[in-house]
Amino acid sequence: MTIDKKAAKAAYRERKSVAGIYAVRCAVTGQVWVGHTPNLGAVQNRLWFTLRQKNHPDAVLQRAWNEQGGAGFAFDEVERMKEDDLSFTGDGELKKRAAAWRQRLGAL
């Protein structure tokens, strides 16, 4: 059992995160919020946690969540970045892509 735990911990540390752009949608109101993250695999859990705790930094999103409840919200990955896309520009490229998606989706 100890070997399995060590292997699982090592695999967790060595996994690669995928950067990208995501959208949070409210089915009732039709509102959309777009964000960017260096780790698409973890961002939904973080978002939902902060929203459930009533501690999200985006007041409009938090208000919509409080009024509509979490069941009316969906999380979508809208773009996965290739490692080559981020090699030199990093967060700057993510911000540019997120801004383009905000405009395309009419996001808040």
Side-chain angles (χ1 to χ4, degrees):
M1 187 77 154
T2 305
I3 295 172
D4 292 340
K5 285 183 181 180
K6 286 181 181 179
K9 285 181 183 179
Y12 179 80
R13 276 187 239 116
E14 293 174 12
R15 79 189 191 300
K16 290 196 178 214
S17 60
V18 176
I21 314 302
Y22 62 88
V24 174
R25 301 172 195 272
C26 178
V28 176
T29 65
Q31 293 172 299
V32 179
W33 294 265
V34 172
H36 64 282
T37 181
N39 188 351
L40 278 171
V43 72
Q44 182 180 1
N45 286 337
R46 182 171 43 92
L47 288 170
W48 270 212
F49 178 79
T50 58
L51 288 163
R52 282 192 307 268
Q53 297 300 314
K54 298 182 179 359
N55 195 26
H56 196 277
D58 185 325
V60 177
L61 174 56
Q62 184 67 64
R63 191 174 324 111
W65 179 277
N66 295 345
E67 291 171 0
Q68 306 303 326
F73 284 80
F75 176 88
D76 297 313
E77 288 182 14
V78 293
E79 183 176 0
R80 285 179 165 245
M81 304 300 287
K82 295 178 186 155
E83 211 171 308
D84 298 343
D85 295 340
L86 299 173
S87 60
F88 293 106
T89 58
D91 195 48
E93 183 63 25
L94 281 173
K95 287 179 182 177
K96 280 195 315 190
R97 299 298 307 142
W101 277 103
R102 276 187 201 97
Q103 186 175 18
R104 185 180 305 171
L105 297 174
L108 302 173

